[in-house]
PDB file of all heavy atoms in Angstrom:
ATOM      1  N   VAL D  27      -2.262  12.385  -7.733  1.00 98.00           N
ATOM      2  CA  VAL D  27      -2.518  13.058  -9.012  1.00 98.00           C
ATOM      3  C   VAL D  27      -2.415  12.001 -10.111  1.00 98.00           C
ATOM      4  O   VAL D  27      -1.363  11.390 -10.287  1.00 98.00           O
ATOM      5  CB  VAL D  27      -1.481  14.180  -9.248  1.00 98.00           C
ATOM      6  CG1 VAL D  27      -1.684  14.817 -10.621  1.00 98.00           C
ATOM      7  CG2 VAL D  27      -1.581  15.235  -8.146  1.00 98.00           C
ATOM      8  N   ILE D  28      -3.509  11.800 -10.831  1.00 98.00           N
ATOM      9  CA  ILE D  28      -3.502  10.784 -11.889  1.00 98.00           C
ATOM     10  C   ILE D  28      -3.409  11.516 -13.223  1.00 98.00           C
ATOM     11  O   ILE D  28      -4.356  12.161 -13.664  1.00 98.00           O
ATOM     12  CB  ILE D  28      -4.766   9.896 -11.819  1.00 98.00           C
ATOM     13  CG1 ILE D  28      -4.930   9.334 -10.402  1.00 98.00           C
ATOM     14  CG2 ILE D  28      -4.677   8.767 -12.856  1.00 98.00           C
ATOM     15  CD1 ILE D  28      -6.124   8.424 -10.202  1.00 98.00           C
ATOM     16  N   GLY D  29      -2.223  11.463 -13.833  1.00 98.00           N
ATOM     17  CA  GLY D  29      -2.006  12.159 -15.106  1.00 98.00           C
ATOM     18  C   GLY D  29      -0.917  13.209 -14.956  1.00 98.00           C
ATOM     19  O   GLY D  29      -0.805  13.846 -13.895  1.00 98.00           O
ATOM     20  N   SER D  30      -0.125  13.396 -16.019  1.00 98.00           N
ATOM     21  CA  SER D  30       1.028  14.291 -15.883  1.00 98.00           C
ATOM     22  C   SER D  30       1.094  15.354 -16.982  1.00 98.00           C
ATOM     23  O   SER D  30       2.174  15.772 -17.389  1.00 98.00           O
ATOM     24  CB  SER D  30       2.318  13.475 -15.849  1.00 98.00           C
ATOM     25  OG  SER D  30       2.459  12.723 -17.043  1.00 98.00           O
ATOM     26  N   GLY D  31      -0.069  15.790 -17.468  1.00 98.00           N
ATOM     27  CA  GLY D  31      -0.103  16.927 -18.393  1.00 98.00           C
ATOM     28  C   GLY D  31      -0.155  18.227 -17.603  1.00 98.00           C
ATOM     29  O   GLY D  31       0.101  18.260 -16.387  1.00 98.00           O
ATOM     30  N   VAL D  32      -0.526  19.302 -18.302  1.00 98.00           N
ATOM     31  CA  VAL D  32      -0.521  20.623 -17.662  1.00 98.00           C
ATOM     32  C   VAL D  32      -1.420  20.667 -16.420  1.00 98.00           C
ATOM     33  O   VAL D  32      -1.049  21.274 -15.403  1.00 98.00           O
ATOM     34  CB  VAL D  32      -0.913  21.724 -18.680  1.00 98.00           C
ATOM     35  CG1 VAL D  32      -2.256  21.489 -19.309  1.00 98.00           C
ATOM     36  CG2 VAL D  32      -0.878  23.110 -18.074  1.00 98.00           C
ATOM     37  N   GLY D  34      -2.395  18.164 -14.275  1.00 98.00           N
ATOM     38  CA  GLY D  34      -1.861  17.403 -13.145  1.00 98.00           C
ATOM     39  C   GLY D  34      -0.610  18.036 -12.565  1.00 98.00           C
ATOM     40  O   GLY D  34      -0.473  18.163 -11.342  1.00 98.00           O
ATOM     41  N   LEU D  35       0.294  18.474 -13.434  1.00 98.00           N
ATOM     42  CA  LEU D  35       1.571  18.989 -12.923  1.00 98.00           C
ATOM     43  C   LEU D  35       1.408  20.357 -12.267  1.00 98.00           C
ATOM     44  O   LEU D  35       2.036  20.639 -11.238  1.00 98.00           O
ATOM     45  CB  LEU D  35       2.615  19.048 -14.047  1.00 98.00           C
ATOM     46  CG  LEU D  35       2.970  17.708 -14.710  1.00 98.00           C
ATOM     47  CD1 LEU D  35       4.136  17.880 -15.676  1.00 98.00           C
ATOM     48  CD2 LEU D  35       3.303  16.632 -13.688  1.00 98.00           C
ATOM     49  N   ILE D  49       2.394  11.449  -8.085  1.00 98.00           N
ATOM     50  CA  ILE D  49       1.870  11.559  -9.456  1.00 98.00           C
ATOM     51  C   ILE D  49       2.015  10.199 -10.100  1.00 98.00           C
ATOM     52  O   ILE D  49       3.116   9.632 -10.108  1.00 98.00           O
ATOM     53  CB  ILE D  49       2.682  12.582 -10.281  1.00 98.00           C
ATOM     54  CG1 ILE D  49       2.629  13.963  -9.639  1.00 98.00           C
ATOM     55  CG2 ILE D  49       2.191  12.627 -11.722  1.00 98.00           C
ATOM     56  CD1 ILE D  49       3.535  14.999 -10.324  1.00 98.00           C
ATOM     57  N   ILE D  50       0.907   9.680 -10.635  1.00 98.00           N
ATOM     58  CA  ILE D  50       1.065   8.459 -11.432  1.00 98.00           C
ATOM     59  C   ILE D  50       0.772   8.778 -12.894  1.00 98.00           C
ATOM     60  O   ILE D  50      -0.108   9.577 -13.215  1.00 98.00           O
ATOM     61  CB  ILE D  50       0.204   7.290 -10.922  1.00 98.00           C
ATOM     62  CG1 ILE D  50      -1.265   7.574 -11.099  1.00 98.00           C
ATOM     63  CG2 ILE D  50       0.512   6.919  -9.492  1.00 98.00           C
ATOM     64  CD1 ILE D  50      -2.070   6.318 -11.131  1.00 98.00           C
ATOM     65  N   THR D  51       1.546   8.152 -13.773  1.00 98.00           N
ATOM     66  CA  THR D  51       1.403   8.453 -15.189  1.00 98.00           C
ATOM     67  C   THR D  51       1.635   7.181 -16.000  1.00 98.00           C
ATOM     68  O   THR D  51       2.419   6.315 -15.603  1.00 98.00           O
ATOM     69  CB  THR D  51       2.352   9.616 -15.579  1.00 98.00           C
ATOM     70  OG1 THR D  51       2.108   9.978 -16.927  1.00 98.00           O
ATOM     71  CG2 THR D  51       3.817   9.278 -15.390  1.00 98.00           C
ATOM     72  N   LYS D  52       0.930   7.071 -17.149  1.00 98.00           N
ATOM     73  CA  LYS D  52       0.892   5.780 -17.842  1.00 98.00           C
ATOM     74  C   LYS D  52       2.206   5.409 -18.521  1.00 98.00           C
ATOM     75  O   LYS D  52       2.535   4.248 -18.645  1.00 98.00           O
ATOM     76  CB  LYS D  52      -0.219   5.797 -18.903  1.00 98.00           C
ATOM     77  CG  LYS D  52      -1.610   5.796 -18.291  1.00 98.00           C
ATOM     78  CD  LYS D  52      -2.644   5.145 -19.172  1.00 98.00           C
ATOM     79  CE  LYS D  52      -3.123   6.026 -20.278  1.00 98.00           C
ATOM     80  NZ  LYS D  52      -4.300   5.459 -20.967  1.00 98.00           N
ATOM     81  N   LYS D  54       6.128   7.618 -19.718  1.00 97.00           N
ATOM     82  CA  LYS D  54       7.075   8.546 -19.110  1.00 97.00           C
ATOM     83  C   LYS D  54       6.320   9.838 -18.798  1.00 97.00           C
ATOM     84  O   LYS D  54       5.333  10.164 -19.470  1.00 97.00           O
ATOM     85  CB  LYS D  54       8.214   8.864 -20.097  1.00 97.00           C
ATOM     86  CG  LYS D  54       9.084   7.677 -20.385  1.00 97.00           C
ATOM     87  CD  LYS D  54      10.073   7.495 -19.251  1.00 97.00           C
ATOM     88  CE  LYS D  54      10.956   6.284 -19.467  1.00 97.00           C
ATOM     89  NZ  LYS D  54      11.476   5.735 -18.204  1.00 97.00           N
ATOM     90  N   ILE D  55       6.826  10.586 -17.829  1.00 97.00           N
ATOM     91  CA  ILE D  55       6.078  11.748 -17.339  1.00 97.00           C
ATOM     92  C   ILE D  55       5.725  12.758 -18.450  1.00 97.00           C
ATOM     93  O   ILE D  55       4.653  13.348 -18.450  1.00 97.00           O
ATOM     94  CB  ILE D  55       6.824  12.439 -16.174  1.00 97.00           C
ATOM     95  CG1 ILE D  55       5.942  13.536 -15.573  1.00 97.00           C
ATOM     96  CG2 ILE D  55       8.175  12.972 -16.590  1.00 97.00           C
ATOM     97  CD1 ILE D  55       6.407  14.059 -14.253  1.00 97.00           C
ATOM     98  N   TYR D  56       6.619  12.930 -19.419  1.00 96.00           N
ATOM     99  CA  TYR D  56       6.382  13.974 -20.432  1.00 96.00           C
ATOM    100  C   TYR D  56       5.575  13.461 -21.622  1.00 96.00           C
ATOM    101  O   TYR D  56       5.293  14.194 -22.546  1.00 96.00           O
ATOM    102  CB  TYR D  56       7.722  14.555 -20.916  1.00 96.00           C
ATOM    103  CG  TYR D  56       8.692  13.498 -21.352  1.00 96.00           C
ATOM    104  CD1 TYR D  56       8.606  12.936 -22.621  1.00 96.00           C
ATOM    105  CD2 TYR D  56       9.667  13.013 -20.475  1.00 96.00           C
ATOM    106  CE1 TYR D  56       9.464  11.921 -23.013  1.00 96.00           C
ATOM    107  CE2 TYR D  56      10.527  12.001 -20.856  1.00 96.00           C
ATOM    108  CZ  TYR D  56      10.421  11.460 -22.113  1.00 96.00           C
ATOM    109  OH  TYR D  56      11.254  10.445 -22.497  1.00 96.00           O
ATOM    110  N   LYS D  57       5.174  12.181 -21.615  1.00 94.00           N
ATOM    111  CA  LYS D  57       4.402  11.613 -22.740  1.00 94.00           C
ATOM    112  C   LYS D  57       2.934  11.946 -22.570  1.00 94.00           C
ATOM    113  O   LYS D  57       2.139  11.120 -22.097  1.00 94.00           O
ATOM    114  CB  LYS D  57       4.589  10.092 -22.773  1.00 94.00           C
ATOM    115  CG  LYS D  57       5.889   9.678 -23.379  1.00 94.00           C
ATOM    116  CD  LYS D  57       5.685   9.456 -24.862  1.00 94.00           C
ATOM    117  CE  LYS D  57       6.984   9.206 -25.578  1.00 94.00           C
ATOM    118  NZ  LYS D  57       6.921   9.495 -26.986  1.00 94.00           N
ATOM    119  N   THR D  58       2.566  13.166 -22.858  1.00 95.00           N
ATOM    120  CA  THR D  58       1.190  13.588 -22.614  1.00 95.00           C
ATOM    121  C   THR D  58       0.633  14.315 -23.835  1.00 95.00           C
ATOM    122  O   THR D  58       1.383  14.743 -24.713  1.00 95.00           O
ATOM    123  CB  THR D  58       1.148  14.589 -21.441  1.00 95.00           C
ATOM    124  OG1 THR D  58       1.887  15.745 -21.839  1.00 95.00           O
ATOM    125  CG2 THR D  58       1.751  14.011 -20.180  1.00 95.00           C
ATOM    126  N   GLU D 153       4.994  21.889 -20.846  1.00 98.00           N
ATOM    127  CA  GLU D 153       5.244  20.589 -20.203  1.00 98.00           C
ATOM    128  C   GLU D 153       6.687  20.535 -19.666  1.00 98.00           C
ATOM    129  O   GLU D 153       6.916  20.115 -18.530  1.00 98.00           O
ATOM    130  CB  GLU D 153       4.987  19.465 -21.222  1.00 98.00           C
ATOM    131  CG  GLU D 153       5.130  18.055 -20.684  1.00 98.00           C
ATOM    132  CD  GLU D 153       3.942  17.558 -19.873  1.00 98.00           C
ATOM    133  OE1 GLU D 153       2.851  18.154 -19.950  1.00 98.00           O
ATOM    134  OE2 GLU D 153       4.114  16.567 -19.142  1.00 98.00           O
ATOM    135  N   VAL D 157       7.547  19.844 -15.871  1.00 98.00           N
ATOM    136  CA  VAL D 157       8.229  18.585 -15.505  1.00 98.00           C
ATOM    137  C   VAL D 157       9.502  18.906 -14.720  1.00 98.00           C
ATOM    138  O   VAL D 157       9.756  18.310 -13.668  1.00 98.00           O
ATOM    139  CB  VAL D 157       8.574  17.745 -16.767  1.00 98.00           C
ATOM    140  CG1 VAL D 157       9.537  16.608 -16.417  1.00 98.00           C
ATOM    141  CG2 VAL D 157       7.310  17.163 -17.398  1.00 98.00           C
ATOM    142  N   ALA D 221      -6.578  13.861 -13.804  1.00 98.00           N
ATOM    143  CA  ALA D 221      -6.069  14.784 -14.833  1.00 98.00           C
ATOM    144  C   ALA D 221      -5.529  13.923 -15.968  1.00 98.00           C
ATOM    145  O   ALA D 221      -4.385  14.070 -16.388  1.00 98.00           O
ATOM    146  CB  ALA D 221      -4.985  15.680 -14.235  1.00 98.00           C
TER     147      ALA D 221
END
Side-chain angles (χ1 to χ4, degrees):
V27 176
I28 308 181
S30 60
V32 57
L35 299 187
I49 300 174
I50 67 158
T51 185
K52 290 209 281 190
K54 293 280 178 205
I55 187 166
Y56 52 81
K57 281 268 173 202
T58 63
E153 183 78 16
V157 168

